[in-house]
């Protein structure tokens, strides 16, 4: 059975932004999800019930990789240099990393500290993460990775693909799920995080 998107939650009008500026890319994300055949990842034996097979998260992730790659989506990095000076940070964060480093050195920073964030898939100015792991990884995606790419001007909105609670029950008890992450975003309010995010809940 193919995967399907059964629930969505748009934070800061992310869906409107994507439909308005990159409708073709949004369609590609939806097509990539729909092309994943979940049964191909249903290989892990449930130790409590040996007759039951669960979804293997690693295999499932590779199935998503294949579909996004076929449509020209690739992983991407957002590189940057650290500064504790808020005004300086705001001035340089949209610049290329090399230029950030030059400016910091001119400001007297002898050894600027380098960091980077990496996203699963990026095409033009849209980033996508498929998160089948623990809640803390989803938090990193939503509050750090997507925010980093948006504030750097490399993305207009982040898309987070998560299993629904129904699918999570057939996968791993330690994995997060769509309903939990959407609830937290709603509870935190429209300004936290301050970037557009579109959550997609998927299941076979």
């Amino acid at each position: 059975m193919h995967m399907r998107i059964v629930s969505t939650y748009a934070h800061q009008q992310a869906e409107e932004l994507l439909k308005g500026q990159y409708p073709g890319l949004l369609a590609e994300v939806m097509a990539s999800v729909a092309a994943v055949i979940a049964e191909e990842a249903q290989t892990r034996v449930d130790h409590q019930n040996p007759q039951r097979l669960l979804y293997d998260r690693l295999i499932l992730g590779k199935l998503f990789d294949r579909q996004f790659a076929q449509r020209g989506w690739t992983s991407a990095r957002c590189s940057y240099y650290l500064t504790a000076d808020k005004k300086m940070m705001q001035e340089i964060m949209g610049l290329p990393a090399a230029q950030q480093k030059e400016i910091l050195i001119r400001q007297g920073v002898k050894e600027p500290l380098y960091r980077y964030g990496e996203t699963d898939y990026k095409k033009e100015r849209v980033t996508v993460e498929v998160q089948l792991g623990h809640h803390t990884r989803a938090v990193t995606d939503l509050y750090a990775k997507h925010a980093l790419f948006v504030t750097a001007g490399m993305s207009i909105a982040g898309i987070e693909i998560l299993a629904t609670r129904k699918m999570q029950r057939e996968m791993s008890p330690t994995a997060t799920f769509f309903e939990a992450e959407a609830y937290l975003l709603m509870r935190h309010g429209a300004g936290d995080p301050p970037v557009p995010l579109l959550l997609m809940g998927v299941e076979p």
Side-chain angles (χ1 to χ4, degrees), residues 85-115:
D85 184 324
K86 185 175 181 180
K87 183 179 179 181
M88 178 61 64
M89 178 198 71
Q90 293 172 336
E91 290 177 359
I92 69 173
M93 66 181 182
L95 301 174
Q99 196 171 344
Q100 292 183 28
K101 183 178 181 180
E102 290 176 5
I103 292 172
L104 290 172
I105 290 174
R106 286 203 302 267
Q107 293 297 319
V109 181
K110 293 181 179 180
E111 295 182 1
L113 298 174
Y114 172 78
R115 290 290 186 275

PDB file of all heavy atoms in Angstrom, residues 85-115:
ATOM      1  N   ASP A  85      27.227  38.668  19.465  1.00  0.00           N
ATOM      2  CA  ASP A  85      26.771  40.038  19.257  1.00  0.00           C
ATOM      3  C   ASP A  85      25.492  39.976  18.416  1.00  0.00           C
ATOM      4  O   ASP A  85      25.542  39.675  17.213  1.00  0.00           O
ATOM      5  CB  ASP A  85      27.866  40.826  18.526  1.00  0.00           C
ATOM      6  CG  ASP A  85      27.523  42.289  18.357  1.00  0.00           C
ATOM      7  OD1 ASP A  85      26.332  42.613  18.137  1.00  0.00           O
ATOM      8  OD2 ASP A  85      28.446  43.122  18.413  1.00  0.00           O
ATOM      9  N   LYS A  86      24.354  40.254  19.026  1.00  0.00           N
ATOM     10  CA  LYS A  86      23.069  40.102  18.336  1.00  0.00           C
ATOM     11  C   LYS A  86      22.966  40.997  17.112  1.00  0.00           C
ATOM     12  O   LYS A  86      22.485  40.571  16.054  1.00  0.00           O
ATOM     13  CB  LYS A  86      21.915  40.396  19.300  1.00  0.00           C
ATOM     14  CG  LYS A  86      20.542  40.139  18.691  1.00  0.00           C
ATOM     15  CD  LYS A  86      19.439  40.331  19.715  1.00  0.00           C
ATOM     16  CE  LYS A  86      18.073  40.045  19.102  1.00  0.00           C
ATOM     17  NZ  LYS A  86      16.967  40.220  20.075  1.00  0.00           N
ATOM     18  N   LYS A  87      23.418  42.240  17.235  1.00  0.00           N
ATOM     19  CA  LYS A  87      23.351  43.157  16.104  1.00  0.00           C
ATOM     20  C   LYS A  87      24.197  42.648  14.951  1.00  0.00           C
ATOM     21  O   LYS A  87      23.773  42.675  13.780  1.00  0.00           O
ATOM     22  CB  LYS A  87      23.819  44.556  16.526  1.00  0.00           C
ATOM     23  CG  LYS A  87      23.718  45.591  15.421  1.00  0.00           C
ATOM     24  CD  LYS A  87      24.182  46.966  15.908  1.00  0.00           C
ATOM     25  CE  LYS A  87      24.105  47.986  14.778  1.00  0.00           C
ATOM     26  NZ  LYS A  87      24.566  49.332  15.222  1.00  0.00           N
ATOM     27  N   MET A  88      25.392  42.156  15.265  1.00  0.00           N
ATOM     28  CA  MET A  88      26.276  41.617  14.240  1.00  0.00           C
ATOM     29  C   MET A  88      25.652  40.385  13.590  1.00  0.00           C
ATOM     30  O   MET A  88      25.708  40.204  12.364  1.00  0.00           O
ATOM     31  CB  MET A  88      27.630  41.268  14.851  1.00  0.00           C
ATOM     32  CG  MET A  88      28.625  40.647  13.866  1.00  0.00           C
ATOM     33  SD  MET A  88      29.041  41.744  12.490  1.00  0.00           S
ATOM     34  CE  MET A  88      29.857  43.080  13.369  1.00  0.00           C
ATOM     35  N   MET A  89      25.054  39.529  14.413  1.00  0.00           N
ATOM     36  CA  MET A  89      24.421  38.321  13.889  1.00  0.00           C
ATOM     37  C   MET A  89      23.344  38.676  12.871  1.00  0.00           C
ATOM     38  O   MET A  89      23.255  38.085  11.792  1.00  0.00           O
ATOM     39  CB  MET A  89      23.801  37.513  15.030  1.00  0.00           C
ATOM     40  CG  MET A  89      23.065  36.261  14.567  1.00  0.00           C
ATOM     41  SD  MET A  89      21.933  35.623  15.819  1.00  0.00           S
ATOM     42  CE  MET A  89      20.651  36.884  15.795  1.00  0.00           C
ATOM     43  N   GLN A  90      22.501  39.658  13.207  1.00  0.00           N
ATOM     44  CA  GLN A  90      21.428  40.064  12.309  1.00  0.00           C
ATOM     45  C   GLN A  90      21.964  40.645  11.007  1.00  0.00           C
ATOM     46  O   GLN A  90      21.340  40.512   9.959  1.00  0.00           O
ATOM     47  CB  GLN A  90      20.519  41.067  13.018  1.00  0.00           C
ATOM     48  CG  GLN A  90      19.737  40.456  14.170  1.00  0.00           C
ATOM     49  CD  GLN A  90      18.990  41.487  15.004  1.00  0.00           C
ATOM     50  OE1 GLN A  90      19.370  42.666  15.036  1.00  0.00           O
ATOM     51  NE2 GLN A  90      17.929  41.060  15.674  1.00  0.00           N
ATOM     52  N   GLU A  91      23.117  41.272  11.072  1.00  0.00           N
ATOM     53  CA  GLU A  91      23.714  41.875   9.879  1.00  0.00           C
ATOM     54  C   GLU A  91      24.315  40.836   8.938  1.00  0.00           C
ATOM     55  O   GLU A  91      24.278  41.005   7.717  1.00  0.00           O
ATOM     56  CB  GLU A  91      24.801  42.880  10.283  1.00  0.00           C
ATOM     57  CG  GLU A  91      24.260  44.141  10.938  1.00  0.00           C
ATOM     58  CD  GLU A  91      25.372  45.080  11.382  1.00  0.00           C
ATOM     59  OE1 GLU A  91      26.562  44.732  11.193  1.00  0.00           O
ATOM     60  OE2 GLU A  91      25.063  46.163  11.920  1.00  0.00           O
ATOM     61  N   ILE A  92      24.864  39.757   9.494  1.00  0.00           N
ATOM     62  CA  ILE A  92      25.612  38.822   8.650  1.00  0.00           C
ATOM     63  C   ILE A  92      24.892  37.510   8.340  1.00  0.00           C
ATOM     64  O   ILE A  92      25.311  36.784   7.443  1.00  0.00           O
ATOM     65  CB  ILE A  92      26.984  38.482   9.286  1.00  0.00           C
ATOM     66  CG1 ILE A  92      26.810  37.630  10.557  1.00  0.00           C
ATOM     67  CG2 ILE A  92      27.783  39.749   9.573  1.00  0.00           C
ATOM     68  CD1 ILE A  92      28.124  37.119  11.135  1.00  0.00           C
ATOM     69  N   MET A  93      23.794  37.197   9.036  1.00  0.00           N
ATOM     70  CA  MET A  93      23.246  35.845   8.920  1.00  0.00           C
ATOM     71  C   MET A  93      22.705  35.522   7.528  1.00  0.00           C
ATOM     72  O   MET A  93      22.599  34.348   7.161  1.00  0.00           O
ATOM     73  CB  MET A  93      22.166  35.595   9.982  1.00  0.00           C
ATOM     74  CG  MET A  93      20.916  36.410   9.847  1.00  0.00           C
ATOM     75  SD  MET A  93      19.782  36.011  11.208  1.00  0.00           S
ATOM     76  CE  MET A  93      18.384  37.070  10.778  1.00  0.00           C
ATOM     77  N   GLY A  94      22.379  36.515   6.721  1.00  0.00           N
ATOM     78  CA  GLY A  94      21.908  36.244   5.373  1.00  0.00           C
ATOM     79  C   GLY A  94      23.011  36.209   4.333  1.00  0.00           C
ATOM     80  O   GLY A  94      22.756  35.990   3.147  1.00  0.00           O
ATOM     81  N   LEU A  95      24.254  36.387   4.777  1.00  0.00           N
ATOM     82  CA  LEU A  95      25.399  36.418   3.866  1.00  0.00           C
ATOM     83  C   LEU A  95      26.032  35.036   3.719  1.00  0.00           C
ATOM     84  O   LEU A  95      25.886  34.185   4.610  1.00  0.00           O
ATOM     85  CB  LEU A  95      26.453  37.402   4.383  1.00  0.00           C
ATOM     86  CG  LEU A  95      26.013  38.855   4.556  1.00  0.00           C
ATOM     87  CD1 LEU A  95      27.140  39.658   5.208  1.00  0.00           C
ATOM     88  CD2 LEU A  95      25.604  39.468   3.221  1.00  0.00           C
ATOM     89  N   PRO A  96      26.772  34.793   2.634  1.00  0.00           N
ATOM     90  CA  PRO A  96      27.516  33.526   2.501  1.00  0.00           C
ATOM     91  C   PRO A  96      28.493  33.359   3.666  1.00  0.00           C
ATOM     92  O   PRO A  96      29.006  34.345   4.213  1.00  0.00           O
ATOM     93  CB  PRO A  96      28.260  33.694   1.177  1.00  0.00           C
ATOM     94  CG  PRO A  96      27.458  34.704   0.421  1.00  0.00           C
ATOM     95  CD  PRO A  96      26.918  35.643   1.457  1.00  0.00           C
ATOM     96  N   ALA A  97      28.760  32.111   4.044  1.00  0.00           N
ATOM     97  CA  ALA A  97      29.606  31.827   5.204  1.00  0.00           C
ATOM     98  C   ALA A  97      30.982  32.470   5.101  1.00  0.00           C
ATOM     99  O   ALA A  97      31.504  33.011   6.078  1.00  0.00           O
ATOM    100  CB  ALA A  97      29.736  30.316   5.396  1.00  0.00           C
ATOM    101  N   ALA A  98      31.567  32.411   3.926  1.00  0.00           N
ATOM    102  CA  ALA A  98      32.909  32.993   3.750  1.00  0.00           C
ATOM    103  C   ALA A  98      32.896  34.493   4.038  1.00  0.00           C
ATOM    104  O   ALA A  98      33.827  35.024   4.651  1.00  0.00           O
ATOM    105  CB  ALA A  98      33.410  32.726   2.332  1.00  0.00           C
ATOM    106  N   GLN A  99      31.840  35.149   3.609  1.00  0.00           N
ATOM    107  CA  GLN A  99      31.732  36.587   3.848  1.00  0.00           C
ATOM    108  C   GLN A  99      31.488  36.880   5.330  1.00  0.00           C
ATOM    109  O   GLN A  99      32.016  37.857   5.878  1.00  0.00           O
ATOM    110  CB  GLN A  99      30.590  37.165   3.000  1.00  0.00           C
ATOM    111  CG  GLN A  99      30.625  38.677   2.872  1.00  0.00           C
ATOM    112  CD  GLN A  99      29.626  39.179   1.854  1.00  0.00           C
ATOM    113  OE1 GLN A  99      29.114  38.427   1.028  1.00  0.00           O
ATOM    114  NE2 GLN A  99      29.346  40.477   1.904  1.00  0.00           N
ATOM    115  N   GLN A 100      30.709  36.025   5.985  1.00  0.00           N
ATOM    116  CA  GLN A 100      30.501  36.166   7.427  1.00  0.00           C
ATOM    117  C   GLN A 100      31.840  36.103   8.157  1.00  0.00           C
ATOM    118  O   GLN A 100      32.124  36.915   9.046  1.00  0.00           O
ATOM    119  CB  GLN A 100      29.583  35.048   7.944  1.00  0.00           C
ATOM    120  CG  GLN A 100      28.151  35.121   7.479  1.00  0.00           C
ATOM    121  CD  GLN A 100      27.301  34.013   8.099  1.00  0.00           C
ATOM    122  OE1 GLN A 100      27.595  33.533   9.197  1.00  0.00           O
ATOM    123  NE2 GLN A 100      26.254  33.608   7.402  1.00  0.00           N
ATOM    124  N   LYS A 101      32.659  35.130   7.775  1.00  0.00           N
ATOM    125  CA  LYS A 101      33.962  34.951   8.419  1.00  0.00           C
ATOM    126  C   LYS A 101      34.835  36.182   8.236  1.00  0.00           C
ATOM    127  O   LYS A 101      35.473  36.660   9.194  1.00  0.00           O
ATOM    128  CB  LYS A 101      34.657  33.716   7.849  1.00  0.00           C
ATOM    129  CG  LYS A 101      35.993  33.410   8.513  1.00  0.00           C
ATOM    130  CD  LYS A 101      36.611  32.142   7.919  1.00  0.00           C
ATOM    131  CE  LYS A 101      37.932  31.812   8.596  1.00  0.00           C
ATOM    132  NZ  LYS A 101      38.545  30.583   8.019  1.00  0.00           N
ATOM    133  N   GLU A 102      34.874  36.710   7.019  1.00  0.00           N
ATOM    134  CA  GLU A 102      35.687  37.896   6.741  1.00  0.00           C
ATOM    135  C   GLU A 102      35.276  39.080   7.606  1.00  0.00           C
ATOM    136  O   GLU A 102      36.113  39.789   8.166  1.00  0.00           O
ATOM    137  CB  GLU A 102      35.569  38.264   5.260  1.00  0.00           C
ATOM    138  CG  GLU A 102      36.242  37.293   4.311  1.00  0.00           C
ATOM    139  CD  GLU A 102      36.006  37.660   2.852  1.00  0.00           C
ATOM    140  OE1 GLU A 102      35.395  38.731   2.617  1.00  0.00           O
ATOM    141  OE2 GLU A 102      36.427  36.897   1.975  1.00  0.00           O
ATOM    142  N   ILE A 103      33.964  39.280   7.723  1.00  0.00           N
ATOM    143  CA  ILE A 103      33.462  40.410   8.509  1.00  0.00           C
ATOM    144  C   ILE A 103      33.825  40.243   9.981  1.00  0.00           C
ATOM    145  O   ILE A 103      34.252  41.191  10.649  1.00  0.00           O
ATOM    146  CB  ILE A 103      31.935  40.546   8.334  1.00  0.00           C
ATOM    147  CG1 ILE A 103      31.609  40.980   6.893  1.00  0.00           C
ATOM    148  CG2 ILE A 103      31.356  41.543   9.338  1.00  0.00           C
ATOM    149  CD1 ILE A 103      30.138  40.957   6.555  1.00  0.00           C
ATOM    150  N   LEU A 104      33.665  39.041  10.517  1.00  0.00           N
ATOM    151  CA  LEU A 104      33.985  38.792  11.920  1.00  0.00           C
ATOM    152  C   LEU A 104      35.473  39.001  12.197  1.00  0.00           C
ATOM    153  O   LEU A 104      35.856  39.548  13.232  1.00  0.00           O
ATOM    154  CB  LEU A 104      33.559  37.370  12.313  1.00  0.00           C
ATOM    155  CG  LEU A 104      32.046  37.140  12.393  1.00  0.00           C
ATOM    156  CD1 LEU A 104      31.736  35.662  12.596  1.00  0.00           C
ATOM    157  CD2 LEU A 104      31.425  37.957  13.529  1.00  0.00           C
ATOM    158  N   ILE A 105      36.315  38.560  11.257  1.00  0.00           N
ATOM    159  CA  ILE A 105      37.761  38.764  11.427  1.00  0.00           C
ATOM    160  C   ILE A 105      38.088  40.257  11.427  1.00  0.00           C
ATOM    161  O   ILE A 105      38.898  40.735  12.234  1.00  0.00           O
ATOM    162  CB  ILE A 105      38.544  38.023  10.322  1.00  0.00           C
ATOM    163  CG1 ILE A 105      38.446  36.505  10.546  1.00  0.00           C
ATOM    164  CG2 ILE A 105      40.012  38.456  10.311  1.00  0.00           C
ATOM    165  CD1 ILE A 105      39.050  35.669   9.434  1.00  0.00           C
ATOM    166  N   ARG A 106      37.448  41.006  10.537  1.00  0.00           N
ATOM    167  CA  ARG A 106      37.675  42.461  10.502  1.00  0.00           C
ATOM    168  C   ARG A 106      37.202  43.137  11.790  1.00  0.00           C
ATOM    169  O   ARG A 106      37.721  44.169  12.187  1.00  0.00           O
ATOM    170  CB  ARG A 106      36.939  43.078   9.303  1.00  0.00           C
ATOM    171  CG  ARG A 106      37.594  42.784   7.966  1.00  0.00           C
ATOM    172  CD  ARG A 106      37.202  43.818   6.915  1.00  0.00           C
ATOM    173  NE  ARG A 106      35.758  43.889   6.726  1.00  0.00           N
ATOM    174  CZ  ARG A 106      35.093  43.191   5.807  1.00  0.00           C
ATOM    175  NH1 ARG A 106      35.746  42.352   5.019  1.00  0.00           N
ATOM    176  NH2 ARG A 106      33.791  43.334   5.677  1.00  0.00           N
ATOM    177  N   GLN A 107      36.232  42.497  12.453  1.00  0.00           N
ATOM    178  CA  GLN A 107      35.717  43.043  13.708  1.00  0.00           C
ATOM    179  C   GLN A 107      36.560  42.605  14.914  1.00  0.00           C
ATOM    180  O   GLN A 107      36.216  42.894  16.056  1.00  0.00           O
ATOM    181  CB  GLN A 107      34.265  42.605  13.914  1.00  0.00           C
ATOM    182  CG  GLN A 107      33.286  43.201  12.920  1.00  0.00           C
ATOM    183  CD  GLN A 107      33.196  44.717  13.032  1.00  0.00           C
ATOM    184  OE1 GLN A 107      33.185  45.278  14.120  1.00  0.00           O
ATOM    185  NE2 GLN A 107      33.165  45.391  11.882  1.00  0.00           N
ATOM    186  N   GLY A 108      37.642  41.875  14.650  1.00  0.00           N
ATOM    187  CA  GLY A 108      38.557  41.507  15.723  1.00  0.00           C
ATOM    188  C   GLY A 108      38.420  40.101  16.252  1.00  0.00           C
ATOM    189  O   GLY A 108      39.100  39.725  17.212  1.00  0.00           O
ATOM    190  N   VAL A 109      37.544  39.283  15.645  1.00  0.00           N
ATOM    191  CA  VAL A 109      37.399  37.886  16.072  1.00  0.00           C
ATOM    192  C   VAL A 109      38.526  37.080  15.418  1.00  0.00           C
ATOM    193  O   VAL A 109      38.565  36.923  14.191  1.00  0.00           O
ATOM    194  CB  VAL A 109      36.027  37.307  15.670  1.00  0.00           C
ATOM    195  CG1 VAL A 109      35.907  35.857  16.142  1.00  0.00           C
ATOM    196  CG2 VAL A 109      34.908  38.164  16.241  1.00  0.00           C
ATOM    197  N   LYS A 110      39.443  36.560  16.219  1.00  0.00           N
ATOM    198  CA  LYS A 110      40.623  35.893  15.675  1.00  0.00           C
ATOM    199  C   LYS A 110      40.294  34.552  15.026  1.00  0.00           C
ATOM    200  O   LYS A 110      40.824  34.229  13.960  1.00  0.00           O
ATOM    201  CB  LYS A 110      41.662  35.705  16.779  1.00  0.00           C
ATOM    202  CG  LYS A 110      42.253  37.013  17.291  1.00  0.00           C
ATOM    203  CD  LYS A 110      43.299  36.746  18.358  1.00  0.00           C
ATOM    204  CE  LYS A 110      43.909  38.058  18.855  1.00  0.00           C
ATOM    205  NZ  LYS A 110      44.941  37.821  19.905  1.00  0.00           N
ATOM    206  N   GLU A 111      39.463  33.761  15.673  1.00  0.00           N
ATOM    207  CA  GLU A 111      39.127  32.445  15.146  1.00  0.00           C
ATOM    208  C   GLU A 111      37.605  32.261  15.172  1.00  0.00           C
ATOM    209  O   GLU A 111      37.053  31.663  16.108  1.00  0.00           O
ATOM    210  CB  GLU A 111      39.804  31.336  15.958  1.00  0.00           C
ATOM    211  CG  GLU A 111      41.324  31.364  15.864  1.00  0.00           C
ATOM    212  CD  GLU A 111      41.967  30.221  16.640  1.00  0.00           C
ATOM    213  OE1 GLU A 111      41.228  29.407  17.233  1.00  0.00           O
ATOM    214  OE2 GLU A 111      43.202  30.140  16.643  1.00  0.00           O
ATOM    215  N   PRO A 112      36.902  32.758  14.157  1.00  0.00           N
ATOM    216  CA  PRO A 112      35.442  32.607  14.115  1.00  0.00           C
ATOM    217  C   PRO A 112      35.027  31.134  14.169  1.00  0.00           C
ATOM    218  O   PRO A 112      35.675  30.277  13.562  1.00  0.00           O
ATOM    219  CB  PRO A 112      35.069  33.232  12.769  1.00  0.00           C
ATOM    220  CG  PRO A 112      36.184  34.191  12.486  1.00  0.00           C
ATOM    221  CD  PRO A 112      37.416  33.532  13.016  1.00  0.00           C
ATOM    222  N   LEU A 113      33.982  30.861  14.928  1.00  0.00           N
ATOM    223  CA  LEU A 113      33.528  29.489  15.120  1.00  0.00           C
ATOM    224  C   LEU A 113      32.519  29.103  14.040  1.00  0.00           C
ATOM    225  O   LEU A 113      31.486  29.739  13.874  1.00  0.00           O
ATOM    226  CB  LEU A 113      32.889  29.340  16.504  1.00  0.00           C
ATOM    227  CG  LEU A 113      33.821  29.615  17.683  1.00  0.00           C
ATOM    228  CD1 LEU A 113      33.051  29.572  18.991  1.00  0.00           C
ATOM    229  CD2 LEU A 113      34.970  28.618  17.703  1.00  0.00           C
ATOM    230  N   TYR A 114      32.838  28.031  13.330  1.00  0.00           N
ATOM    231  CA  TYR A 114      32.031  27.579  12.194  1.00  0.00           C
ATOM    232  C   TYR A 114      31.003  26.537  12.621  1.00  0.00           C
ATOM    233  O   TYR A 114      31.293  25.650  13.428  1.00  0.00           O
ATOM    234  CB  TYR A 114      32.948  26.982  11.134  1.00  0.00           C
ATOM    235  CG  TYR A 114      32.238  26.312   9.986  1.00  0.00           C
ATOM    236  CD1 TYR A 114      31.667  27.061   8.956  1.00  0.00           C
ATOM    237  CD2 TYR A 114      32.131  24.920   9.926  1.00  0.00           C
ATOM    238  CE1 TYR A 114      31.022  26.445   7.893  1.00  0.00           C
ATOM    239  CE2 TYR A 114      31.495  24.295   8.863  1.00  0.00           C
ATOM    240  CZ  TYR A 114      30.936  25.058   7.854  1.00  0.00           C
ATOM    241  OH  TYR A 114      30.307  24.441   6.804  1.00  0.00           O
ATOM    242  N   ARG A 115      29.815  26.645  12.081  1.00  0.00           N
ATOM    243  CA  ARG A 115      28.767  25.642  12.297  1.00  0.00           C
ATOM    244  C   ARG A 115      27.972  25.487  10.998  1.00  0.00           C
ATOM    245  O   ARG A 115      28.039  26.314  10.102  1.00  0.00           O
ATOM    246  CB  ARG A 115      27.810  26.062  13.419  1.00  0.00           C
ATOM    247  CG  ARG A 115      28.424  26.039  14.802  1.00  0.00           C
ATOM    248  CD  ARG A 115      28.687  24.608  15.267  1.00  0.00           C
ATOM    249  NE  ARG A 115      29.148  24.580  16.641  1.00  0.00           N
ATOM    250  CZ  ARG A 115      30.388  24.730  17.027  1.00  0.00           C
ATOM    251  NH1 ARG A 115      31.324  24.961  16.112  1.00  0.00           N
ATOM    252  NH2 ARG A 115      30.733  24.668  18.302  1.00  0.00           N
TER     253      ARG A 115
END
